[in-house]
Amino acid sequence: MMDETGKRKQRTVQLVVALVLFVAAIYAATFIKLPVWLPALQ
Amino acid sequence: MTEAIAAVAHDRHGHPPAGIMRWLTTTNHKDLGILYMSFGGIMFFIGGAFIMAVRAELLLPGLQLLSPGMYNQLFTLHALIMVFGAIMPFATGLNNYLIPLMIGAPDMALPRVNNWGFWILPFAAVLLLIPFFLQFSGIGSGASGLGWVMHNTSLDLQSGIGIDFAIFTIHLLGISSLTGAINVVVTVLNMRAPGMALMKMPLFVWAWLITAFMLILVIPVFSAAATMLLTDRHFGTHFFDAANGGDPILLQHLIWFFGHPEVYIVLLPAWGLIPHILATFSRKPVYGYRAQVYALWAICFLSFIVWSHHMLTSGLPLAAEVYFMYSTMAISVPTSVLVFCWLGAIWRGAMTFETPMLFALGFVAHFGMGALTGMILPDVAANAQYHNSYVIVSHFHYTFFGGGIFGMMAAVYYWLPKFTGRMFDEKLGRLHFWLTVIFFNVTFIPQWFAGLDGMPRHIADFALRFSAMNLISSVGAFLLGLSQLLLVYIVVKCVRGGPKATGQVWEGAQGLEFTLPSPPPYHTFETPPEVK
């Protein structure tokens, strides 16, 4: 059984990994140039 | 061996290394908070010095001191430094120092990342400034002159290393901001003391949690746009190059998708701390807590869907213009909720007017003027007149300085006794407030009139009919800059000595940080407090 400190460390790692992946995804998605393809913005 | 390491660790516990090594290697949230705030303070004066040169050039019509190219570099550096080098690092310093104290955590969740995030900043600042100084040795053509949103002049107008250095600076600052933002999210969601439910958190913590989410969403877009600009300039891509099938308006979309939330990234930390200060000096609890939390989230959401009101003259379809006009105006609803909650906090309160309260009230008044003028700018019909005029310059200084800087000043005076354990000179603090209010308005009110009369921004020379307004504005700017030196004197005097501050500091102060002595010990809340 994991104690409270262990659980907290695990949650921290999970959250950091999720946020870093989210940042990478947004960075990559910007190169799709969405505003160029959206008819409403043309 | 393990015992020896444990013994050393125990020996260092509560005793940071002496001298420069303490500041280079520290992972303590209070040390890093002080480093961030000191860095922000230094950059505030460097950015201020650049704009003094700009206002000196604008003192009289004609070109006296600066070439137009040098003028562009100076206002660009002023803007980049003030937004990314001064206000944001200072607000980050406040969150570093205060969030663990406010939620009963022993430190930030990622202390080593915290150290790394700070020490990126001085290198980024050097990178930004190097091309400016190199030009005086005949190397390169100077710093970036594109403005803080990187598209105020055609891409062809400036070549050379300046923009490349600015692009690399943006990437470094982005990494620093993202590490800080991730740290805030993880700390707030994972490190709260028992009983510190989300809806019991101080509004400053809420505001920073929301700010961190905004940073995480928009900084990658800004960084990617800067990367695309870099590859367009050096690696043969054509993202923004119309001559080769690219779209220059795309750069504006990407930059403003970042740029508009960035306004709230600068303002939200101040919106979070002002209710605490108003409540303290009105001897009342924070007014409309839940309403303010929901309003902050609403502003966060709306800030992502309104960016093109900065581009209403770029030839958008009418339907898009109308959408961006109404969505932008909709931000006034949650913003009004905040303003009425601030007014509710002081209504019939037993108010006293110490320096932090004066700056907090100054914040409400000046930010209010910035917000109200923000209501006329997205009007599609009116925007054609206001766009790129001095109306814009005055408007965003009422929000950034009247909101952001006044908020930070209020925070400095409110928590300085907590940080130093000493009270500051109250008379000098009040003098600093009144000088700031007077000269801030002397600087920026004339810019409304010059702008309404048609004076464009980003110009080193101007038509003769704008002379009087520019003369008044420049004199006001010089005196505003000089009066900020008083703040340095007050802070230094407070750090060196003064009457001892109690743990409570202010009679009406509430919050976990005020249950600790002033200054707080090096390590705090190693045993989490029980929040009821």
Side-chain angles (χ1 to χ4, degrees), chain A residues 4 7-42, chain B residues 106 109-110 171 178 181-182 185-186 189-192 213 216-218 220-221 223-225 227-228 238-239 247 250 253-254 307-308 315-317 320 324:
Chain A
E4 185 52 39
K7 280 183 192 165
R8 184 173 283 186
K9 276 184 183 169
Q10 192 181 41
R11 281 201 305 266
T12 298
V13 172
Q14 287 168 345
L15 202 49
V16 170
V17 170
L19 290 171
V20 170
L21 287 176
F22 182 72
V23 166
I26 299 278
Y27 181 81
T30 305
F31 288 85
I32 298 169
K33 305 189 292 183
L34 201 61
V36 173
W37 311 118
L38 283 176
L41 297 177
Q42 296 308 305
Chain B
L110 311 166
H171 284 94
L178 285 169
I182 290 172
V185 172
V186 178
L189 295 185
N190 235 355
M191 303 273 289
R192 299 190 312 279
F213 277 120
I216 287 166
L217 191 59
V218 299
V221 175
S223 300
T227 308
M228 292 154 90
H238 306 294
F239 289 109
D247 187 350
L250 171 66
H253 278 299
L254 296 182
W307 74 91
S308 281
L316 291 170
F324 283 112

Side-chain angles (χ1 to χ4, degrees), chain B residues 332-454:
Chain B
S332 65
V333 177
T335 309
S336 301
V337 170
L338 291 179
V339 173
F340 283 110
C341 285
W342 300 334
L343 296 178
I346 58 175
W347 181 253
R348 293 187 174 172
M351 279 199 287
T352 49
F353 297 95
E354 287 86 345
T355 309
M357 181 63 160
L358 288 175
F359 270 102
L361 293 171
F363 163 92
V364 175
H366 292 102
F367 168 72
M369 286 157 76
L372 278 176
T373 49
M375 283 297 292
I376 57 168
L377 294 177
D379 185 299
V380 174
N383 184 270
Q385 181 191 346
Y386 303 137
H387 188 83
N388 228 17
S389 76
Y390 257 78
V391 169
I392 306 293
V393 180
S394 192
H395 157 72
F396 71 68
H397 278 93
Y398 268 89
T399 50
F400 273 28
F401 196 118
I405 302 278
F406 268 72
M408 294 302 130
M409 299 276 187
V412 168
Y413 286 112
Y414 188 60
W415 279 294
L416 189 62
K418 176 54 66 183
F419 298 158
T420 62
R422 304 277 175 182
M423 297 305 290
F424 58 86
D425 189 325
E426 181 63 34
K427 276 186 186 168
L428 287 180
R430 291 179 195 197
L431 178 64
H432 175 229
F433 168 75
W434 285 112
L435 291 177
T436 304
V437 167
I438 292 166
F439 296 131
F440 170 75
N441 285 293
V442 172
T443 305
F444 292 107
I445 287 177
Q447 293 183 11
W448 290 117
F449 296 110
L452 286 171
D453 200 18

Side-chain angles (χ1 to χ4, degrees), chain B residues 41-261:
Chain B
I42 291 167
M43 295 306 279
F44 177 66
F45 284 94
I46 294 175
F50 282 131
I51 210 63
M52 290 301 121
V54 166
R55 283 315 317 177
E57 175 55 53
L58 295 173
L59 191 68
L60 299 168
L63 294 177
Q64 280 78 231
L65 303 169
L66 307 172
S67 67
M70 177 64 76
Y71 179 91
N72 287 349
Q73 290 178 45
L74 286 169
F75 79 69
T76 299
L77 287 176
H78 164 73
L80 286 170
I81 288 172
M82 285 304 196
V83 174
F84 299 110
I87 305 180
M88 283 175 69
F90 194 88
T92 306
L94 283 176
N95 91 39
N96 257 288
Y97 201 109
L98 292 171
I99 285 180
L101 298 187
M102 287 178 160
I103 63 172
D107 204 313
M108 298 296 276
L110 311 166
R112 290 186 182 87
V113 173
N114 207 4
N115 173 291
W116 189 55
F118 171 76
W119 281 109
I120 290 174
L121 284 181
F123 293 99
V126 170
L127 206 58
L128 182 67
L129 292 170
I130 272 183
F132 178 77
F133 292 106
L134 281 181
Q135 69 184 320
F136 299 114
S137 310
I139 303 170
S141 54
S144 168
L146 297 183
W148 77 282
V149 285
M150 306 288 288
H151 63 72
N152 283 329
T153 52
S154 157
L155 292 178
D156 297 330
L157 281 181
Q158 193 182 12
S159 55
I161 58 172
I163 299 174
D164 301 321
F165 273 65
I167 288 170
F168 286 122
T169 305
I170 285 167
H171 284 94
L172 284 182
L173 292 172
I175 293 168
S176 175
S177 294
L178 285 169
T179 55
I182 290 172
N183 214 349
V184 167
V185 172
V186 178
T187 304
V188 173
L189 295 185
N190 235 355
M191 303 273 289
R192 299 190 312 279
M196 178 62 79
L198 283 173
M199 289 310 274
K200 281 187 183 173
M201 291 195 310
L203 281 170
F204 179 74
V205 182
W206 262 117
W208 249 109
L209 179 65
I210 297 166
T211 304
F213 277 120
M214 294 170 81
L215 281 165
I216 287 166
L217 191 59
V218 299
I219 290 286
V221 175
F222 189 38
S223 300
T227 308
M228 292 154 90
L229 194 58
L230 186 73
T231 58
D232 266 16
R233 288 167 60 79
H234 296 292
F235 300 106
T237 58
H238 306 294
F239 289 109
F240 311 125
D241 179 9
N244 289 289
D247 187 350
I249 299 297
L250 171 66
L251 177 62
Q252 297 190 22
H253 278 299
L254 296 182
I255 294 283
W256 282 115
F257 180 78
F258 149 81
H260 194 75

Side-chain angles (χ1 to χ4, degrees), chain B residues 444-491:
Chain B
F444 292 107
I445 287 177
Q447 293 183 11
W448 290 117
F449 296 110
L452 286 171
D453 200 18
M455 180 172 164
R457 63 175 177 156
H458 299 147
I459 52 161
D461 191 9
F462 49 83
L464 282 175
R465 71 175 190 276
F466 304 127
S467 299
M469 291 302 163
N470 275 287
L471 180 68
I472 297 168
S473 183
S474 286
V475 171
F478 299 146
L479 295 172
L480 179 62
L482 273 179
S483 61
Q484 299 318 304
L485 297 176
L486 191 54
L487 173 66
V488 179
Y489 176 73
I490 293 167
V491 172

